[in-house]
Amino acid sequence: MNLSEHFIGIGYKRLSTVEIDAARSNQHELNGISKFKEIFGSQRISFSARFLFFSDEEESFLEELGDSTWYDARENHPIRSEFRLYYSNSGIFQKAKEGDLLIVVKKSPTEIWFIIVPKDSTAERQLIWLFGLENLEETRKTFVKSEISDKEQDFAKKYILGKLGIEVPILGEDYLEEMLKKFDGSFPSTSIFSKFARGTLSLIPTIENPDEALLVSFDREEYLFKIFEKHLVKNRMKVGFGEDGLDVDQFISFSLSVHNRRKSRAGYSLENHLEYIFQENKVLFSRGAVTERRSKPDFLFPGIQYYKDSTFEEQYLKMLGSKTTAKDRWRQVLPEADRIKNKHLITLEPSISITQTNEMKQHKVTLVVPESIRTTYTIQQQSEILTLSDFIEHLKNNEVAAGL
C-alpha cells in the first residue's frame, strides 16, 4: 500500500490572518503557490474539490464538496504570470485560525483536496508524519511542495488514511465460507472471533516480539471482520428496509448499528489479543475486575486479589487501560484504580500531539505503544513511551520484586 497509489502531488503552508479573514480575503484564492506548477502544469484546469477540517474533536470535523480552478491571473500579459488556485466558498476556512496547517492534495487528474488541521493537534502531527512535511515555520508566506514518499509502517499509514476516508480495498474473500459455516451466518462474540482470527495465522510471536504479535493479530481480525461484515451487510441491503424496501428510518437505524459494532469490536479486539499475549507470557493479571465506584480497569497487575489486599504494597500494583484511539478518552483511566497513582495506557494511535502526551505525563499516565507505531512519534516522545515488550518486562520484574 503506497501513498503514490492515492495521491499525485502535495503542497502545504501555515495559514495567515489574511487567508482566513473573510473581510480581507473574499476572493477564495490561494496565492504564493507558484511551485504547484510542477503538480498542476501551466494550463488552466478545473477540479472537483473536497474540503476537510480535520480536527481531534469529532464535533469539529467538517467535510464539504465544491470545485476549484488552477489558472494564470495574468494569462494575457506578454511576460508575467501569476498562478492562483481558486476554490469555491467553504466553511473550513471559517473554522480555521492563524497558524493552522493547510494541505492541498492533488488526488487525481480531476480531483483536489483542501485539508485544514489545527496547529499542535494530533491530527496535524499525523498528517505531518504521513506526508513527510518539513520546515513548517517557513511556510507562512508561500506554499511548499512535498515529495510523496512511502512509509514502511503500514499499520499507522492505514490508520491515518482511514481517518481521511481512504479505505484499503479488501482483496478476495479469504475464509468467508469457513466463517459462514462456523458462525452460522452471524457474528459470534468478540472473544470467539478474536480467537478464530489468531487461528488463521501461522505464527504469532507472542514471546519473541509481543509488539508484532499484537499488531498482526489485531490486523488479521480487522481484515476478517470486514470480509464477513461486507457479506452480511450486502445481504441485508438486498432485502431492503420496511415494507417497500425504502424506509429511510430503518436504513439509518441499521447503518448506526453497523457503525457502533465496528467501534465496539475494535476496542474488544485489542483487549482480547492483549489478554492472550499476557497469558502466553505468563504475566499475572485480572481483566475487567471491579474497583472503586464500580470502575473496571481493563487490566490489573498482578491481579484484583492483590489490589483488594490492603497489606499488599501499592508500589507493586499496576494497571493498563486499553484504547485503540486515545483522543480525550485517555482521561477515563484516571479514576479507575485509586490505589495506583502511576497508570499505563496502551493505544494503537500514531503521532499523538506533544501537547497531549505532555498532559498525560502531568497526570502520571505512561503511554504504551507497539514499536512500529512508536516510531511515528517525535524522538523526545519516544524516549518516554514504552513498547509492549518493555511493559511486559516491567511487569515481570515487578512480580519478582513483589516476591510472587
Side-chain angles (χ1 to χ4, degrees), residues 175 197 200-201 215-225:
Y175 299 99
T200 66
L201 293 167
L215 291 184
V216 298
S217 299
F218 185 89
D219 202 42
R220 174 55 63 92
E221 180 171 353
E222 183 177 46
Y223 167 74
L224 294 174
F225 176 87

Side-chain angles (χ1 to χ4, degrees), residues 262-277:
R262 281 187 174 188
K263 290 199 299 184
S264 63
R265 178 210 60 84
Y268 283 120
S269 171
L270 180 57
E271 290 181 38
N272 292 338
H273 298 308
L274 282 169
E275 180 179 38
Y276 176 73
I277 291 169

Side-chain angles (χ1 to χ4, degrees), residues 59-217:
E59 61 273 15
S60 296
F61 182 88
L62 178 64
E63 178 177 4
E64 297 176 333
L65 299 178
D67 55 75
S68 180
T69 301
W70 170 255
Y71 74 104
D72 184 358
R74 298 180 181 272
E75 58 187 351
N76 294 322
H77 196 283
I79 301 175
R80 296 182 61 187
S81 65
E82 184 181 336
F83 280 89
R84 297 178 182 177
L85 186 62
Y86 164 85
Y87 57 89
S88 55
N89 191 20
S90 174
I92 68 169
F93 288 89
Q94 297 170 19
K95 294 175 73 72
K97 297 179 179 178
E98 181 182 5
D100 286 354
L101 180 63
L102 169 62
I103 304 173
V104 178
V105 180
K106 187 178 182 185
K107 184 71 173 59
S108 75
T110 59
E111 182 181 3
I112 190 171
W113 288 7
F114 295 80
I115 307 171
I116 293 179
V117 282
K119 187 177 182 181
D120 298 329
S121 64
T122 291
E124 181 192 63
R125 285 298 320 159
Q126 290 173 346
L127 294 190
I128 288 172
W129 175 82
L130 181 71
F131 293 131
L133 311 186
E134 299 176 343
N135 303 320
L136 289 164
E137 295 312 313
E138 299 176 11
T139 65
R140 292 185 177 272
K141 293 184 178 180
T142 186
F143 275 84
V144 174
K145 178 177 173 289
S146 176
E147 299 298 326
I148 297 176
S149 59
D150 289 308
K151 307 291 185 181
E152 295 181 0
Q153 297 89 339
D154 275 349
F155 190 95
K157 183 164 53 177
K158 207 164 46 168
Y159 175 96
I160 300 171
L161 288 175
K163 291 178 71 173
L164 289 173
I166 300 176
E167 293 289 341
V168 178
I170 301 172
L171 303 177
E173 295 185 341
D174 297 346
Y175 299 99
L176 177 59
E177 291 300 322
E178 184 178 348
M179 288 188 288
L180 289 170
K181 182 178 180 180
K182 186 177 183 65
F183 303 134
D184 197 26
S186 62
F187 276 108
S189 68
T190 55
S191 59
I192 291 175
F193 199 76
S194 294
K195 184 176 180 180
F196 172 78
R198 289 194 300 270
T200 66
L201 293 167
S202 58
L203 177 65
I204 306 176
T206 52
I207 309 298
E208 303 83 358
N209 192 338
D211 296 84
E212 182 183 348
L214 179 62
L215 291 184
V216 298
S217 299

